[in-house]
Amino acid sequence: NNCSYDTSSVIIYVYPKPRFTIGKSVGNICVNQPVQFVSNLQDSGYIVWHFGDGDSSIAYNPTHVYTSTGKKVFTATLTSNFNTCKSIQKDSLIVQATPIVSIAADTNRGCLNHYFNFTAISNGNHYYAWDFGDSNFAVTKDVPYKFNKPGTYTIKLVATSILGCKDSAFKQIEVYPIPTALFDYTPKDTCTGPVWVNFTNQSKGANSFAWDFGNGNSSNATNPRSYYSGIGKYKIQLTAENTYFCYDTITQDFEIFNKPEPDFDFDVNAGCTPLTVNFTNKSKFSKTYLWYFGDSTTSSLENPQHIYYKSGTYNVSLVAFAGKVCSDSIQVNKTIIVHPKPIPSFTHELLTIQKPYRDIVFTSTGINGNKFEWNFGDGKNGTGETTRNKYADGDSGCFTVKLRVMSTNNCDSAITDTVCLPGYWNGLYVPNAFTPDLGTGGPNEFLPIGIELKKYHIKVFSQWGILVWESTSLDAAGRPNEAWKGYDLNNNPCPQGVYIWVVSEAIFTNNEPWKGMTNSNEANYGLQARPGNVTLIR
């Protein structure tokens, strides 16, 4: 104070604050959802938590549940165990509202064919997940749903907020079975009427019934009958109901028809086999048809075409149907006559080979013929059941002979065969087929045709190389005169098939060897053996 001075001192102790950090398990939670708080202490001390909602805790790592929404600021105060120094940490989190959801339905009970309309009622816009209790699911707010089986189902709805907060709701639904309406009636239909119709109820799972017969009458009987007076189509409806008031309805038509008037015509009433006949249907008041052609065959076509393959006399019938029961029939008054065709065949025999002609007689051996026309293949024709043709000196080789046979009903058939002529000089022809069981002579034996042969040896083998026949026999004119009749060396009949012939020796009177068949495609096999095939036909 300008007079004198004095000095005083004091010691001040400054202690460090305790060090620690805090944390939380989530940053945003739902109401009533627990959150975990944690502390990490670097210095020892005791801690006090304030959660921002009036509640607190002295646990180092407390768990807390918020019961209100909003931003929550929480603090943690750590007091040192060595002094009164304190440290405070602060943080915050958002508490979201939990969805509140319920299920609204148009009804809790319904029949199997009913569509239930379910709606999610909630306090906001949420995500929805439906479980209908039958392994089917949906995710929309409004769901129309039909169950596939009757029973009791517990519907579950889960509403989820954008932050994942959830709420669930449940509703029990009763699904009742529906009956099956079914009936039959007799008769199925009828002609002209009137008629009583008897109904047989075949419904299942029902105990009450309502009939509408389509004729202005109705009934609640189980198996009723109804009277129908005249022609027309009547719609019959049956409604079957069970104790749950579930029902099913079925409708069928009963019809009384005009009586059918069957009538028909055809384009030809006689002809030769195969005879094709076209039928023209002239029926009235009919829908379906059944034809009987008289030969054990039928048709359901309206205007059929039919082929008669066998000869005979046939009466044709037509049944015309208006419905399944209502029908009428007619049988044609005139008949259809089918005449048999001739079955042609012929044989030929060489009468002479003296110059200047080779004279052959042709004989028809078929059946059902009375008129015969021949074409001898050399430009000449003939008639008659038996006829002859003289082939000129220049004609040689084989000719295609055609026989046309006609019956008394002007039915005709034709057949062709090949006739081969021997030359005037030496030659040998070996046939390629024969039929032992066909009459006598000609094609019923295997006889090579030749002339002016002085040496001749022919053998016939099976396909396995077994000798079945051989001959060296010639007549005075050098002609083979011994035929194979189709038997083996033990006189057993040979089976049908192809056999191999071999002419191992064939020398003419002029000492020239036979060079093989002139019409054969076989190669020249030399002087010792010339093979070919012959077909035995049984």
Side-chain angles (χ1 to χ4, degrees):
N1 58 4
N2 295 323
C3 291
S4 63
Y5 66 89
D6 191 15
T7 300
S8 176
S9 62
V10 64
I11 298 175
I12 299 174
Y13 294 93
V14 180
Y15 302 109
K17 288 183 177 182
R19 294 168 299 166
F20 76 109
T21 59
I22 61 173
K24 56 184 183 295
S25 58
V26 292
N28 297 296
I29 61 171
C30 303
V31 171
N32 297 320
Q33 177 183 344
V35 60
Q36 178 72 54
F37 296 96
V38 295
S39 62
N40 182 17
L41 305 184
Q42 285 83 41
D43 296 313
S44 62
Y46 62 91
I47 195 168
V48 177
W49 294 84
H50 294 277
F51 300 113
D53 60 352
D55 201 359
S56 62
S57 174
I58 59 173
Y60 284 99
N61 298 297
T63 299
H64 185 65
V65 175
Y66 289 95
T67 58
S68 61
T69 62
K71 182 178 181 180
K72 307 296 180 181
V73 178
F74 60 90
T75 61
T77 302
L78 179 64
T79 302
S80 175
N81 286 334
F82 304 105
N83 51 53
T84 60
C85 292
K86 298 179 180 181
S87 291
I88 299 175
Q89 297 287 348
K90 182 186 294 187
D91 201 350
S92 65
L93 52 77
I94 303 297
V95 180
Q96 302 287 338
T98 299
I100 300 174
V101 69
S102 62
I103 300 174
D106 58 347
T107 180
N108 295 337
R109 299 176 179 84
C111 300
L112 187 60
N113 58 358
H114 174 72
Y115 267 98
F116 292 85
N117 293 300
F118 298 111
T119 300
I121 306 298
S122 67
N123 58 347
N125 294 322
H126 303 111
Y127 302 107
Y128 303 100
W130 297 86
D131 182 347
F132 298 105
D134 60 354
S135 300
N136 289 315
F137 308 92
V139 295
T140 58
K141 183 177 182 180
D142 300 306
V143 182
Y145 190 74
K146 184 171 75 171
F147 293 90
N148 293 324
K149 294 180 180 180
T152 301
Y153 297 90
T154 299
I155 310 299
K156 180 182 179 181
L157 171 62
V158 177
T160 304
S161 70
I162 193 172
L163 297 175
C165 300
K166 297 181 180 182
D167 189 27
S168 300
F170 298 88
K171 183 175 286 292
Q172 187 167 289
I173 299 296
E174 293 288 340
V175 181
Y176 301 126
I178 58 174
T180 300
L182 186 65
F183 69 90
D184 198 5
Y185 58 90
T186 56
K188 291 298 180 184
D189 54 62
T190 187
C191 300
T192 66
V195 62
W196 280 97
V197 178
N198 297 301
F199 295 92
T200 302
N201 197 328
Q202 299 172 329
S203 302
K204 298 179 180 180
N207 57 6
S208 64
F209 307 96
W211 296 84
D212 183 345
F213 299 116
N215 58 0
N217 298 323
S218 60
S219 174
N220 296 112
T222 302
N223 297 292
R225 66 196 300 251
S226 186
Y227 181 79
Y228 294 86
S229 58
I231 294 170
K233 181 182 287 188
Y234 302 89
K235 190 174 294 293
I236 304 158
Q237 180 174 287
L238 168 61
T239 300
E241 190 173 77
N242 60 17
T243 55
Y244 303 106
F245 303 104
C246 299
Y247 66 90
D248 185 31
T249 300
I250 186 174
T251 301
Q252 297 188 53
D253 290 332
F254 170 74
E255 190 165 0
I256 299 177
F257 298 95
N258 281 300
K259 188 176 181 63
E261 297 177 8
D263 188 17
F264 68 93
D265 200 356
F266 44 84
D267 60 348
V268 60
N269 60 3
C272 305
T273 58
L275 179 63
T276 300
V277 182
N278 295 292
F279 293 89
T280 302
N281 197 327
K282 298 180 178 180
S283 304
K284 297 180 180 179
F285 310 120
S286 50
K287 296 180 179 178
T288 58
Y289 309 93
L290 182 59
W291 297 82
Y292 296 90
F293 297 115
D295 59 353
S296 301
T297 61
T298 62
S299 174
S300 59
L301 297 177
E302 183 175 356
N303 296 289
Q305 181 186 83
H306 185 64
I307 301 176
Y308 291 92
Y309 292 98
K310 295 183 179 180
S311 60
T313 301
Y314 300 96
N315 293 318
V316 181
S317 298
L318 170 62
V319 181
F321 294 88
K324 293 183 179 179
V325 176
C326 179
S327 65
D328 201 0
S329 62
I330 185 175
Q331 181 168 314
V332 69
N333 292 325
K334 53 185 178 179
T335 57
I336 296 176
I337 300 175
V338 183
H339 303 295
K341 274 193 173 184
I343 302 176
S345 64
F346 69 88
T347 61
H348 64 278
E349 180 182 0
L350 180 67
L351 298 180
T352 177
I353 59 172
Q354 299 301 317
K355 292 184 179 181
Y357 300 105
R358 280 160 292 185
D359 196 2
I360 295 183
V361 60
F362 294 91
T363 302
S364 174
T365 57
I367 60 175
N368 298 331
N370 72 331
K371 184 178 179 181
F372 309 89
E373 297 178 354
W374 299 84
N375 184 321
F376 300 117
D378 62 348
K380 297 193 291 294
N381 299 310
T383 59
E385 188 171 3
T386 300
T387 186
R388 298 172 64 171
N389 184 49
K390 290 183 178 180
Y391 289 90
D393 183 24
D395 295 337
S396 61
C398 298
F399 296 86
T400 299
V401 179
K402 180 178 180 180
L403 169 62
R404 180 172 177 259
V405 182
M406 287 155 284
S407 69
T408 55
N409 298 303
N410 293 321
C411 298
D412 68 330
S413 296
I415 187 174
T416 58
D417 199 0
T418 301
V419 175
C420 294
L421 304 178
Y424 289 123
W425 51 93
N426 60 31
L428 177 62
Y429 167 76
V430 183
N432 61 6
F434 72 106
T435 306
D437 301 325
L438 181 65
T440 59
N444 74 320
E445 59 187 12
F446 175 71
L447 178 62
I449 300 173
I451 195 170
E452 297 295 332
L453 287 164
K454 70 176 182 179
K455 289 185 179 181
Y456 160 77
H457 190 181
I458 186 170
K459 299 178 182 180
V460 177
F461 298 87
S462 70
Q463 295 182 9
W464 296 274
I466 299 174
L467 179 67
V468 297
W469 178 80
E470 64 178 337
S471 176
T472 59
S473 179
L474 298 170
D475 64 9
R479 294 176 295 202
N481 61 356
E482 187 176 48
W484 180 38
K485 305 290 187 178
Y487 292 83
D488 63 15
L489 297 178
N490 297 319
N491 206 31
N492 296 315
C494 296
Q496 176 171 298
V498 177
Y499 292 78
I500 301 168
W501 59 261
V502 176
V503 176
S504 60
E505 185 177 38
I507 305 296
F508 295 106
T509 55
N510 61 1
N511 293 320
E512 290 182 359
W514 181 56
K515 296 182 180 180
M517 296 282 289
T518 59
N519 64 335
S520 173
N521 291 325
E522 304 282 342
N524 191 337
Y525 287 87
L527 302 181
Q528 300 303 316
R530 295 159 187 85
N533 295 332
V534 58
T535 303
L536 189 157
I537 304 173
R538 292 194 181 275

